[in-house]
Amino acid sequence: DSAVDWEHPPMGLDAVTADLRSIRAAAGQPSFTEIARRVARLRARRGVPEHEQRVSRSTVYYCFQAGRSRVDVDMLVEVAAALGVTRTRTWAERVRAARAASDAARVATALEEVPAPVSFFTGRARELGQLSEQLAPGVEALVWVVGTAGVGKTQLVLRWAASAGSGVLLDLRGHRANAVPVEPAAAQYALLRALGVDTAGTLDADERVRVLRRTLARSRRIVILDDAHDERQVRQILGADPAGRVLVTSRTRPDGDALQLGGLSATETAQLLRAFADADPTNAPPI
């Protein structure tokens, strides 16, 4: 059990299968056939009917594979027990939490119109000018706005988008507390739907990227990917090179260029406080 940080476990089914592979390695790397035999013996000890005791090697093999969207919780618990994990109830809770996280990651909704910024938005003239230069009409560009939590990244891009034309907004939930980042396929389908593409058919990963990139290149609309987890998440959604005009906000800086958003100046802070004091608190959206 020491191979797993039970107090702060990573989320997602891939994390579970990675832990299971570590547990198997710690147990001496028994073969999948041997693990299947052990599971059968454990079932026999529990009094499971004989015709239900046998487990195929392929069933055990798939328990260790990454990229799965569905898992049999009971099967994973039995495999872990066969490898020497004694805290099976805790392990079962871990697998169920990972399965719930995986389900949540497949939920994404892109807004077909970018919301208005807060009415008391103040300052950031230099940054707004930079965005206008980098994302001029007709230019294909992927621009990152990065900064710490609460510095105003989202409000900045909403303010710029309000004056730059029609846009689409997708929250990637990269750093939101108690939330799971959106998986690439869910993000791609959500963006395609918001951009008017029929997504009734099922596309494989490469096709989704191609269709989305072609749609972005043809569209005049600005796509905002808010709260990206990191550059890898964005690349999995959009591919390696920019297509269309895409604006990304994140707490994580990419390897390339990014607009680093710092705090407001003293003058801008004073202006913000005055604007905030004058705003109607009943209508003001959250910052």
Side-chain angles (χ1 to χ4, degrees), residues 107-111 154 168-176 179-182 187 191 224-228 233 249:
V107 177
T109 303
L111 301 181
T154 300
V168 170
L169 173 69
L170 176 60
D171 180 4
L172 295 180
R173 305 193 299 264
H175 299 92
R176 190 195 302 173
V180 183
V182 175
L191 288 172
I224 297 174
L225 301 180
D226 192 31
D227 191 22
Q233 184 188 27
T249 72

Side-chain angles (χ1 to χ4, degrees), residues 268-286:
E268 289 174 329
T269 301
Q271 292 173 344
L272 175 63
L273 291 174
R274 285 194 294 269
F276 184 77
D278 293 337
D280 181 356
T282 61
N283 293 326

Side-chain angles (χ1 to χ4, degrees), residues 12-88:
L13 292 175
D14 281 354
V16 167
T17 54
D19 286 343
L20 200 60
R21 289 193 294 271
S22 297
I23 293 169
R24 180 184 175 218
Q29 205 72 10
S31 69
F32 300 126
T33 301
E34 171 58 24
I35 296 172
R37 293 194 190 103
R38 294 181 187 181
V39 171
R41 288 197 292 268
L42 288 173
R43 289 181 175 183
R45 290 173 196 164
R46 296 202 313 271
V48 174
E50 186 174 351
H51 67 280
E52 296 179 6
Q53 293 174 12
R54 185 177 180 277
V55 180
S56 69
R57 177 190 181 281
S58 61
T59 297
V60 173
Y61 170 80
Y62 284 119
C63 289
F64 293 86
Q65 303 311 301
R68 302 179 64 192
S69 59
R70 291 286 186 271
V71 295
D72 182 336
V73 174
D74 292 336
M75 188 70 243
L76 285 180
V77 170
E78 288 184 309
V79 168
L83 291 171
V85 172
T86 56
R87 297 163 61 184
T88 53

